[in-house]
Amino acid sequence: MNDVFAPATLGPLTLRNRVIKAATFEGRTPEALVTDDLIEFHREVAAGGVGMTTVAYCAVAPGGRTDRHQIYMRPEAVPGLRRLTDAVHAEGAAASAQIGHAGPVANAASNRTPALAPSRFFSPLGMAPMKVPDIAEITELVTAHADAAKLAVESGFDAVEIHFGHNYLASSFLSPLLNRRKDAYGGSLENRARFPREIARAVREAVGDRIAVTAKLNMEDGVRGGFTLPESLQVASWLEADDALDALELTAGSSLLNPMLLFHGAAPRREFAKTLPGPARWGFRLIGKAFLREYPYEKAYLLERARQFRRELSMPLVLLGGITDLESMRLARAEGFEFVAMGRALLREPDLLRRIRSDAATESACVHCNECMPTIYSRTRCVLRLDPPAPAIAIDRAAGSGASSEKADRQ
């Protein structure tokens, strides 16, 4: 059970090992298209020894991005994505595309299109009411996920990861706090789960067995009135019964309301505030402690929640959160998890896995300061790592504009 570095099967794939680079915003696509900087980011992690790296984030529609600098899946993006997957494959790793719609987490001011939510709420990011999709529009969104998955196949990806977490659109439908609909997509848990289940089935139908299909699912939102662990266990059981997914990656927290439940460790409130325009910075000082809460860091910190899913499900599961050394990887395997996912530790040391394989006593240099979090608005990086110089993406958070906004608007 501790064969972390042995080849492993994921749907139609055989990965060289059981370690996946988790999806973490790269902030390296100023024109909403692949750049050499983005390719190097994933090539470096692949060369560092992971079995698969996950590109985040490939939105299924222009309005599904957290800001308009992010990639969205359309034919113009395919050549660059193909260059990226070729570079990853040349290093012996597989490549996965995280697809989804940001929903209420989308910045409407930046995207210049209304953010979507299952029910009517005011968007603090776009400073405007969110748009509530009707049933016809929900059907279009399901199709958009399937079309994005087809483009992922065309781009050479080996897998897609559907985003069902962090109160992005599909996750917001699961939340009784955010979903107050009275139609077939609201009310009971079965109704609230309808949208993500339809997405998973549509994606599987679109790609067949050509690539692996996984999903990132919230175990809980960590917000009063939100999606709970017992509800998530039931949704996971339905997803397993639907037989559309090859694995579930288990996560937690809300990008909208409680992001630190996912990260644990220090809450970088001061650094985060510096990314905001003046008035918003003062407002953040008032609410920052409630928004960025403190959760003590420990190895495998999501394991206690995830164990309950392992007991009730037979499908492959990916353990995320506090996986930074061989000890935590072996613990995950001993607990029955088929794969582990690493994020921040690989920002600090892209070659960490290769060094762990050479020396089992290797410890991650990540100190869990989480100061990488605010860098997603420029160029995601570990602030303690000395990177080669690269142009930053200047984003005006107030208006969502950037130095490359003219070109980005035309994409």
Side-chain angles (χ1 to χ4, degrees):
M1 287 296 290
N2 288 335
D3 52 343
V4 175
F5 293 107
T9 299
L10 175 62
L13 284 179
T14 299
L15 302 181
R16 64 183 176 185
N17 59 53
R18 297 178 181 273
V19 183
I20 297 170
K21 162 65 176 68
T24 52
F25 283 168
E26 299 97 349
R28 297 164 190 245
T29 56
E31 297 175 15
L33 292 167
V34 170
T35 60
D36 290 344
D37 194 21
L38 180 68
I39 292 173
E40 178 58 19
F41 178 88
H42 287 283
R43 187 210 64 77
E44 190 176 33
V45 172
V50 299
M52 183 164 69
T53 184
T54 310
V55 179
Y57 147 87
C58 303
V60 302
R65 299 172 287 177
T66 60
D67 70 70
R68 73 169 178 270
H69 302 281
Q70 289 177 330
I71 295 170
Y72 67 95
M73 298 299 274
R74 76 274 196 206
E76 292 82 359
V78 169
L81 291 169
R82 170 63 76 169
R83 287 200 303 124
L84 189 157
T85 57
D86 285 348
V88 169
H89 292 154
E91 299 292 351
S96 176
Q98 186 187 68
I99 62 172
H101 192 293
V105 184
N107 188 327
S110 175
N111 293 332
R112 294 175 184 170
T113 187
L116 299 183
S119 302
R120 192 169 180 83
F121 289 94
F122 186 81
S123 169
L125 297 172
M127 298 303 293
M130 298 188 198
K131 184 179 188 295
V132 178
D134 60 25
I135 290 180
E137 290 167 323
I138 290 173
T139 301
E140 291 174 1
L141 288 164
V142 172
T143 301
H145 282 79
D147 290 343
K150 291 176 185 176
L151 287 173
V153 174
E154 188 178 341
S155 300
F157 283 99
D158 307 283
V160 291
E161 177 188 85
I162 313 170
H163 203 330
F164 290 163
H166 307 161
N167 284 166
Y168 280 45
L169 188 59
S171 172
S172 70
F173 268 77
L174 291 170
S175 165
L177 178 66
L178 300 175
N179 184 352
R180 301 173 183 172
R181 300 176 72 100
K182 304 298 183 184
D183 60 11
Y185 290 90
S188 68
L189 179 60
E190 185 175 12
N191 282 357
R192 285 184 276 125
R194 190 183 307 275
F195 181 45
R197 293 176 71 187
E198 287 179 349
I199 290 171
R201 290 193 292 260
V203 167
R204 172 57 74 193
E205 185 176 351
V207 304
D209 292 327
R210 291 178 290 173
I211 62 174
V213 179
T214 71
K216 177 173 280 189
L217 178 69
N218 257 23
M219 293 183 285
E220 62 172 317
D221 293 347
V223 177
R224 182 178 296 178
F227 190 52
T228 65
L229 194 146
E231 288 181 319
S232 184
L233 284 167
Q234 178 59 71
V235 172
S237 295
W238 286 333
L239 289 169
E240 179 175 79
D242 291 342
D243 199 27
L245 300 174
D246 295 306
L248 276 177
E249 182 175 299
L250 301 171
T251 187
S254 165
S255 296
L256 195 66
L257 300 167
N258 186 9
M260 291 305 299
L261 184 59
L262 166 62
F263 291 98
H264 286 222
R269 300 185 188 104
R270 181 177 300 177
E271 293 76 14
F272 192 88
K274 288 177 181 177
T275 71
L276 301 171
R281 188 178 307 169
W282 283 104
F284 185 78
R285 289 182 179 179
L286 297 176
I287 67 166
K289 194 168 185 178
F291 177 64
L292 293 181
R293 308 176 194 177
E294 292 275 1
Y295 293 94
Y297 179 87
E298 59 183 4
K299 291 181 181 180
Y301 54 78
L302 293 181
L303 176 59
E304 184 176 351
R305 295 176 180 86
R307 279 191 181 113
Q308 300 178 60
F309 290 77
R310 185 64 292 166
R311 284 196 295 265
E312 296 198 18
L313 303 174
S314 60
M315 70 186 301
L317 298 177
V318 184
L319 184 65
L320 172 72
I323 306 297
T324 59
D325 58 11
L326 189 57
E327 178 187 10
S328 53
M329 294 175 194
R330 286 177 169 170
L331 173 62
R333 291 292 295 132
E335 294 274 356
F337 293 89
E338 284 78 6
F339 300 92
V340 295
M342 303 176 71
R344 288 164 293 175
L346 294 177
L347 289 180
R348 180 73 188 265
E349 302 169 287
D351 65 342
L352 177 60
L353 192 63
R354 185 175 61 210
R355 292 191 297 103
I356 288 174
R357 189 166 189 174
S358 298
D359 179 1
T362 299
E363 294 283 340
S364 167
C366 178
V367 297
H368 327 298
C369 66
N370 291 317
E371 291 185 26
C372 53
M373 288 176 61
T375 71
I376 67 173
Y377 301 114
S378 52
R379 179 177 179 265
T380 304
R381 62 199 179 279
C382 172
V383 301
L384 302 179
R385 180 188 174 201
L386 297 177
D387 265 321
I393 303 167
I395 298 177
D396 179 352
R397 299 278 317 285
S401 62
S404 302
S405 60
E406 290 290 328
K407 290 184 179 179
D409 286 344
R410 293 198 294 268
Q411 304 306 326

